[in-house]
């Protein structure tokens, strides 16, 4: 039995090409379906992390509010403020450091002597908190002497 060229072309057009198109469309559908499933899972995981970060930040803000109320009666006694900041710092391990600045951004008190000789009053993140008079979580990342990276959280009361 002889298969003619016309029959071969007809077979390719009627059978092979539709099968190939169907296979490509099916694989594309499966890939899109898997990507959507992965995206939904990633969003679920991200929402859990967001809730944890929100809770963490709320805890820090509450702690800073309480600390601010505790500092106000001692505002004129830097030694007592140093002592209070050091107690909070040793009991609350969420802080990389605690420093009290005046309205111009100069250090009044802190948990260590790191910033005593450094004038950071012109730093962008300090000016931002002075101008906003509100809580600011800076994009700036600081590196502690032990190599730990920390975010800068500031508030003005």
């Amino acid at each position: 039995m002889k298969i003619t060229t016309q029959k071969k072309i007809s077979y390719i057009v009627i059978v092979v090409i539709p099968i190939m198109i169907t296979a490509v469309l099916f694989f594309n559908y499966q890939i899109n379906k898997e990507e959507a499933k992965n995206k939904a899972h990633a969003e679920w995981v991200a929402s859990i992390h967001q809730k944890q970060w929100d809770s963490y930040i709320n805890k820090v803000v509450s702690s800073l509010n309480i600390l601010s109320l505790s500092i106000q009666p001692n505002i004129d006694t830097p030694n007592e403020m140093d002592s209070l900041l050091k107690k909070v710092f040793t009991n609350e391990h969420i802080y990389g450091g605690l420093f009290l600045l005046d309205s111009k951004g100069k250090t009044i008190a802190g948990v260590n002597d790191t910033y005593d000789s450094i004038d950071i009053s012109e730093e962008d993140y300090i000016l931002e908190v002075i101008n906003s008079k509100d809580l600011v979580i800076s994009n700036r990342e600081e590196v502690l002497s032990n190599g730990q990276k920390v975010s800068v959280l500031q508030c003005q009361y």
Side-chain angles (χ1 to χ4, degrees):
M1 183 186 279
K2 186 177 176 186
I3 300 177
T4 63
T5 306
Q6 184 179 5
K7 287 182 181 179
K8 288 179 186 177
I9 292 173
S10 295
Y11 178 78
I12 290 172
V13 169
I14 294 171
V15 177
V16 175
I17 291 177
I19 288 174
M20 290 175 59
I21 291 172
T22 303
V24 167
L25 291 175
F26 177 74
F27 286 123
N28 189 32
Y29 169 77
Q30 291 292 16
I31 288 170
N32 289 339
K33 183 177 166 184
E34 193 64 30
E35 284 177 353
K37 190 168 96 174
N38 289 342
K39 181 179 178 185
H41 180 71
E43 287 174 353
W44 175 73
V45 169
S47 73
I48 291 172
H49 288 293
Q50 179 184 5
K51 289 174 188 173
Q52 289 175 334
W53 273 107
D54 287 345
S55 174
Y56 178 76
I57 289 171
N58 285 334
K59 178 183 176 186
V60 170
V61 169
S62 295
S63 175
L64 288 175
N65 284 333
I66 292 168
L67 182 60
S68 172
L69 293 172
S70 301
I71 285 178
Q72 286 178 0
N74 301 323
I75 201 78
D76 296 325
T77 54
N79 290 338
E80 288 182 27
M81 286 190 294
D82 276 340
S83 174
L84 179 62
L85 290 176
K86 287 176 183 173
K87 284 179 186 175
V88 171
F89 181 71
T90 55
N91 291 327
E92 288 285 340
H93 300 287
I94 59 175
Y95 299 114
L98 287 170
F99 303 94
L100 181 64
L101 308 177
D102 65 11
S103 61
K104 295 178 180 151
K106 304 275 187 198
T107 304
I108 298 172
V111 295
N112 59 33
D113 299 333
T114 308
Y115 288 104
D116 285 352
S117 60
I118 300 173
D119 181 12
I120 57 171
S121 60
E122 296 300 317
E123 294 287 341
D124 292 340
Y125 60 97
I126 299 296
L127 295 174
E128 183 179 0
V129 77
I130 290 170
N131 293 331
S132 72
K133 298 184 190 292
D134 197 7
L135 176 72
V136 175
I137 300 174
S138 175
N139 290 334
R140 182 166 174 163
E141 184 179 86
E142 296 286 337
V143 180
L144 302 178
S145 59
N146 64 1
Q148 179 184 3
K149 295 178 182 177
V150 295
S151 296
V152 178
L153 178 80
Q154 308 138 145
C155 54
Q156 181 175 15
Y157 296 100

